[in-house]
Amino acid sequence: QHKHSACVQVLIEAGADIERPNLYGITPIAMAASHGFADGVLQLIAAGATVDKMWGTGGDTALISACLGGHFACAEHLLVANADPNHKKTEGTEEYTPLWLSCERGHSECARLLLAHGADASHACRGLTPLGIAIETGNRACSDMIQETLIVMQPTTAEVADQEWDWISRAQGGQ
């Protein structure tokens, strides 16, 4: 990857258009993410590449590409640069999210990262949530991780009571 990093740096310094897609419509940052080239993703982000720029007919993004390949470091760089963890790629009538695709492919570390960055675990595609597709495809690491994460994310009874009290108080005109 070191030779590729040097090449990317030379192209950036020479003023190459870092947003220009290739003949297939794939942006440089999405291409780097799809091949797991984390250094290239980081270099392109530093040079100002649009992290959520869509390509293809379904609205693919670099984060979708990274998650499809299970490229954790690429996904992490993109999320730190504010890529949308809930972006939806469309195929026909279905909308796939990075979390759903990570769970379908069994990329539990990418799924954990996405959840930590606010990915919606309730979005269903093909009638299944990310947990459902992980179970259906036999990706035990993903299904276990999602269940554990969802349990941790559940508010405690005291937190729910506090929220209800705040709502009731506000509804009655209190502060």
Side-chain angles (χ1 to χ4, degrees):
Q1 284 199 15
H2 177 69
K3 290 179 183 176
H4 294 301
S5 295
C7 182
V8 170
Q9 194 59 41
V10 166
L11 289 169
I12 290 170
E13 289 172 2
D17 182 355
I18 60 173
E19 301 288 352
R20 185 176 181 183
N22 66 13
L23 293 174
Y24 303 101
I26 305 170
T27 61
I29 197 164
M31 183 63 77
S34 70
H35 290 284
F37 181 28
D39 290 344
V41 168
L42 201 53
Q43 287 173 291
L44 289 163
I45 290 170
T50 306
V51 295
D52 280 332
K53 184 166 184 158
M54 292 184 283
W55 62 274
T57 57
D60 287 90
T61 62
L63 184 59
I64 295 269
S65 298
C67 291
L68 280 170
H71 302 301
F72 177 86
C74 293
E76 184 174 40
H77 292 324
L78 292 162
L79 288 164
V80 167
N82 296 315
D84 181 3
N86 293 306
H87 174 78
K88 294 173 181 76
K89 164 192 167 132
T90 304
E91 285 185 15
T93 60
E94 298 294 342
E95 293 182 326
Y96 298 87
T97 63
L99 178 60
W100 198 94
L101 293 166
S102 292
C103 291
E104 180 190 41
R105 302 277 175 111
H107 303 309
S108 60
E109 290 307 310
C110 283
R112 182 184 315 277
L113 177 68
L114 288 159
L115 287 168
H117 283 268
D120 179 6
S122 66
H123 177 78
C125 183
R126 297 190 334 220
L128 297 167
T129 63
L131 175 59
I133 193 64
I135 292 168
E136 182 177 278
T137 55
N139 293 317
R140 180 80 186 256
C142 261
S143 62
D144 288 351
M145 183 276 306
I146 290 175
Q147 290 178 71
E148 291 167 12
T149 302
L150 293 177
I151 289 169
V152 169
M153 293 171 67
Q154 293 295 317
T156 65
T157 304
E159 290 171 331
V160 170
D162 286 345
Q163 290 169 0
E164 288 175 355
W165 178 252
D166 286 345
W167 181 82
I168 291 168
S169 178
R170 287 187 186 142
Q172 294 174 341
Q175 296 293 340

